[in-house]
Amino acid sequence: MKRYQAIIPLILALLVSACKESRFLEFPYYDGPVTEDQFWNLNASARGQLNRGYNFLQEGYNRYSGAMLAAGSDEAVNSNLNSDINIFNNGTWSSLRTLDDSYATNYNGLRQVNLFLENAHRANIIPLTDIPRLRAEAFFLRAFFHFELWKRYGGIIIADHVFNQNDNLDLPRNTPEETLAQILKDCDSAAVKLPLSPAQYGAGDKGRATKAAALALKSRALLYAASPLSNASGDIALWQKAAAASKELIDTKAHSLLPKYTDIFNFSTAAYNAEVIFATAANLRNDIETNNAPISYNGALGLTNPTQELVDAYEMKNGLPVTDPQSGYNAADPYKDRDPRLGWSVIYNGSTFKGTQVNTMAGGKDGLGVSVNATKTGYYMRKFLSEAASWNQTTNATVRRPWVIFRYAEILLNYAEAQNEAAGPDATVYDAVNQIRQRAGMPVLPQGLSKDQMRSRIRNERRVELAFEEHRFFDVRRWKTGEKDFAAPVSGMRISTSGTGAVYERFIVAQRVFSDRMYRYPIPQGEINNTTKLVQNPGY
C-alpha cells in the first residue's frame, strides 16, 4: 500500500477548509503550529476528519473521461471508440494498464475514517453525545471501502487501523473470507448506533450513513459472497445468510418503492426520496446531459450508447420476451408495446427528449455516422438525464443530482435471488420481484416457475431495472457468466427507409473479449513493486 503523508499537513488543510465553510468561527485561533491535541479539540476539525471519508465515495457518472462503466459491459458502447473504457472489452487490461483503479482511492478513504475512529475518544465534539453515531458512520464507511476493494480484487490487506510510515507495510493479502468478515463486522457495528433512515436526520445531514445503508451494504456483500465467483461449492448456508440480511432491511419498512419509476432519479426538490437508501453528495450539474444526450441537442456528446442486447432484454408489455413467438413482437415496429422501462432508460428512434423527437435513422440528425460523436448502436442512454438541464446556452441550467449507491429495488432483487437459491421460488420470491414489475406497469411473473427459470427471470429483472447503475458489470462477474455474456459481440440497430417504410437491420458493433482472469481486477503493478508479500491476482 502507499505510504501516507504526515498528519500535520492534513490538519492544516482541514483547518483551512473549516474556515472557508463556516460563516462564524466556532473555535479559537492558535498561534504557531497546530498540534494533534489542538486539532482534535476543535469541534469543526474533528467532524471534518470524518467528513473527509465521505469525499472518497465514488460516483458512476462520466467517471472515465466521460465514459460510464456500462460501456465496459454488454449494456453499452461508448461512442468514442478510443475511450479507455474499452480496456475492459478488448483484452488489453493489465496491471500496467488499469481502469476503475480503486485501490489507492479506497485505501485513502480507509485512512481517513481510521484516523477518526482512533481519535474520536479525545475529540471535543459538541455535543459529545454525537460521538457514538459519528463512530458508527465511520464504521459504515470503513465497511464500504473494504467492500469496494473486495468486490474488485478478492482478498485484500485489511486496513482496520491507521498505517504509519514506521509500520511494516510489506504485508500479505488477507483471505477473501477474512475480508468479508471484517466488512460484516463493521456493518453490524454501524447498524446498532445509526439512525434508521435519512428521515431521522436534519436537512443538512441527509447524505450521512444510516442503519438502512449499513444493512443494504450487508445485503449486497453477502449476495456477492454467496454467488458462484466466491462460493464455488454452492454452499446453501451463504445464500440463506444473504436472504436473511436483505429481509432484515425489508422488515424495517424504512424504505419503499416509489410509485413511479421515473421519479427515482428526480432530485430537483430533495436530495433523497423513499427509495434511495444511500447516495453521494447531490451536486448541481448538467455534465450528465452534455456527455450523454443525443448529439443534435445543443452539441451534446451522446457517449453512452445502449446495445441491442440490452434493448432485447426488455420484455413485451404482456410479460413475454421478444424471442417468444406468442409475444406479439413486431420486427418492423420493434419498440411498440414494450416494458415501459425501455423508454425510461433508453432513447430510441422516435423517442421524445426535451420536447423534440430523436431521429436515429440513416441520415437523421442523431443517426449512425452523422458525426464522430453520433451513436454507434442506434441508441442513446435516457436514464439519469434531466430535461430541466440546459447546456451550451447563454444561460445554462443545472439540476441537483447524486449518484445513487443503494436503492430499495436492489434489496428486493437481492432477497429474491438469495431466497430462490436457498429455498426455491416460494411466495416471498414472487412477491419481491412482482413488486418491482407492477411498479413498472408489467404483469406479475407466471406461477409454476422452476428454480432455474426463476433464476433467469430474476437476473433479467436486475438487468432492466438496474440498467446503467453499475450492477451488470459486477453481476456477470459474480455469476461467473462472463465468457458467455461479455465475450460475445455487441450489436446495434440500423434504420433505413424503403418504399414500404422503415427497415430495421441488426448489425454487430464490436467484438468483445473476456477471459477467466477478468473476473478479478489486477492489482496495480506499482503496488506490487513496493512490496514482496502482496501477491498479484492470477493471469496478470
Side-chain angles (χ1 to χ4, degrees):
M1 291 181 296
K2 296 185 182 296
R3 288 170 167 75
Y4 301 97
Q5 296 176 340
I7 193 172
I8 294 302
L10 167 62
I11 293 171
L12 296 176
L14 283 169
L15 288 176
V16 171
S17 175
C19 291
K20 288 181 178 179
E21 294 175 2
S22 179
R23 183 179 176 185
F24 301 105
L25 297 178
E26 298 177 354
F27 49 88
Y29 286 105
Y30 290 106
D31 292 327
V34 178
T35 67
E36 287 191 43
D37 285 339
Q38 289 170 334
F39 174 82
W40 291 107
N41 190 51
L42 303 178
N43 177 55
S45 59
R47 288 177 180 270
Q49 177 58 49
L50 174 62
N51 292 344
R52 281 178 66 86
Y54 283 95
N55 291 338
F56 288 88
L57 296 172
Q58 294 180 285
E59 65 165 45
Y61 301 122
N62 318 316
R63 194 192 308 175
Y64 316 100
S65 301
M68 296 182 67
L69 196 58
S73 77
D74 60 355
E75 287 185 310
V77 171
N78 190 270
S79 67
N80 175 8
L81 297 182
N82 294 317
S83 170
D84 284 345
I85 198 69
N86 287 316
I87 290 172
F88 291 127
N89 305 318
N90 60 19
T92 61
W93 196 16
S94 74
S95 62
L96 293 171
R97 195 178 188 209
T98 61
L99 192 68
D100 189 36
D101 180 3
S102 298
Y103 201 85
T105 298
N106 284 294
Y107 273 116
N108 278 315
L110 285 165
R111 179 170 176 81
Q112 304 312 317
V113 296
N114 280 329
L115 278 168
F116 180 82
L117 286 169
E118 292 186 10
N119 292 279
H121 66 283
R122 60 170 171 154
N124 186 27
I125 288 172
I126 303 171
L128 288 175
T129 52
D130 278 358
I131 290 180
R133 189 259 298 170
L134 296 173
R135 281 178 54 83
E137 291 181 45
F139 281 126
F140 167 78
L141 290 172
R142 190 165 77 177
F144 185 83
F145 295 137
H146 274 125
F147 173 77
E148 289 297 297
L149 290 164
W150 177 74
K151 78 176 183 181
R152 290 172 169 83
Y153 304 101
I156 46 98
I157 299 171
I158 293 174
D160 59 355
H161 63 283
V162 176
F163 291 96
N164 293 309
Q165 289 182 334
N166 294 328
D167 291 341
N168 175 22
L169 300 180
D170 192 3
L171 300 172
R173 298 165 67 171
N174 291 88
T175 67
E177 294 75 18
E178 290 168 341
T179 309
L180 175 65
Q182 179 67 48
I183 294 166
L184 299 178
K185 176 184 176 182
D186 281 343
C187 284
D188 290 340
S189 296
V192 296
K193 294 293 184 181
L194 286 173
L196 180 57
S197 72
Q200 276 71 59
Y201 277 115
D205 291 320
K206 292 293 186 184
R208 295 191 175 277
T210 63
K211 177 178 180 178
L215 295 178
L217 177 54
K218 187 175 181 179
S219 164
R220 189 183 291 180
L222 282 168
L223 185 75
Y224 276 51
S227 299
L229 180 60
S230 297
N231 183 21
S233 68
D235 184 357
I236 294 297
L238 286 172
W239 288 113
Q240 292 170 337
K241 289 178 182 179
S246 299
K247 190 173 188 302
E248 182 179 2
L249 175 50
I250 292 168
D251 288 346
T252 67
K253 301 187 184 304
H255 292 272
S256 59
L257 296 177
L258 292 182
K260 294 175 62 178
Y261 186 85
T262 50
D263 286 345
I264 299 169
F265 301 99
N266 178 9
F267 298 96
S268 58
T269 57
Y272 273 70
N273 56 50
E275 186 159 343
V276 174
I277 298 172
F278 187 67
T280 63
N283 298 316
L284 288 168
R285 60 198 306 172
N286 60 11
D287 61 307
I288 306 170
E289 288 72 27
T290 58
N291 278 289
N292 295 293
I295 58 171
S296 69
Y297 292 76
N298 301 315
L301 298 178
L303 290 177
T304 305
N305 306 158
T307 63
Q308 188 63 46
E309 285 73 22
L310 174 63
V311 171
D312 289 345
Y314 290 86
E315 299 169 355
M316 298 298 290
K317 190 72 182 290
N318 57 20
L320 295 176
V322 296
T323 54
D324 190 319
Q326 304 302 315
S327 68
Y329 174 74
N330 181 1
D333 194 1
Y335 314 120
K336 181 181 179 182
D337 294 332
R338 300 290 292 275
D339 181 334
R341 288 172 293 187
L342 173 59
W344 299 333
S345 302
V346 176
I347 293 175
Y348 48 80
N349 186 57
S351 296
T352 299
F353 182 66
K354 292 179 77 69
T356 305
Q357 274 201 339
V358 176
N359 184 348
T360 64
M361 297 186 69
K365 60 188 176 71
D366 303 295
L368 300 167
V370 171
S371 76
V372 67
N373 293 323
T375 176
K376 300 301 184 289
T377 64
Y379 303 105
Y380 296 92
M381 183 180 72
R382 176 66 181 88
K383 201 174 205 177
F384 311 127
L385 304 189
S386 172
E387 297 201 351
S390 61
W391 56 95
N392 293 337
Q393 306 291 307
T394 302
T395 302
N396 295 320
T398 55
V399 181
R400 190 169 183 242
R401 282 163 297 179
W403 173 260
V404 176
I405 295 174
F406 297 110
R407 65 182 177 96
Y408 187 65
E410 180 206 343
I411 306 306
L412 290 174
L413 290 168
N414 290 355
Y415 173 77
E417 181 178 347
Q419 181 66 7
N420 183 59
E421 298 298 336
D426 62 23
T428 66
V429 173
Y430 274 93
D431 178 64
V433 180
N434 286 338
Q435 286 184 54
I436 294 169
R437 291 176 64 82
Q438 289 180 298
R439 188 264 295 274
M442 292 295 289
V444 299
L445 293 176
Q447 290 294 317
L449 294 177
S450 68
K451 182 177 181 177
D452 289 347
Q453 289 171 328
M454 179 60 82
R455 179 187 301 120
S456 295
R457 297 301 291 260
I458 291 169
R459 289 183 178 185
N460 198 71
E461 201 68 30
R462 288 184 71 92
R463 187 174 190 179
V464 300
E465 172 70 22
L466 305 175
F468 310 118
E469 296 177 45
E470 292 199 348
H471 287 280
R472 178 72 177 174
F473 183 94
F474 292 105
D475 279 347
V476 167
R477 283 173 165 78
R478 68 180 177 84
W479 294 329
K480 288 215 73 177
T481 60
E483 287 88 351
K484 175 176 70 72
D485 293 320
F486 287 172
V490 289
S491 307
M493 184 67 77
R494 181 180 291 109
I495 311 174
S496 56
T497 57
S498 70
T500 57
V503 176
Y504 293 83
E505 177 191 3
R506 186 184 182 115
F507 69 99
I508 293 176
V509 177
Q511 300 288 339
R512 294 283 178 89
V513 174
F514 192 92
S515 61
D516 187 68
R517 70 179 184 136
M518 297 171 73
Y519 284 110
R520 294 293 189 195
Y521 280 39
I523 296 174
Q525 192 61 42
E527 303 291 344
I528 298 292
N529 293 343
N530 286 336
T531 70
T532 63
K533 296 180 180 177
L534 185 61
V535 178
Q536 182 60 272
N537 276 327
Y540 296 105

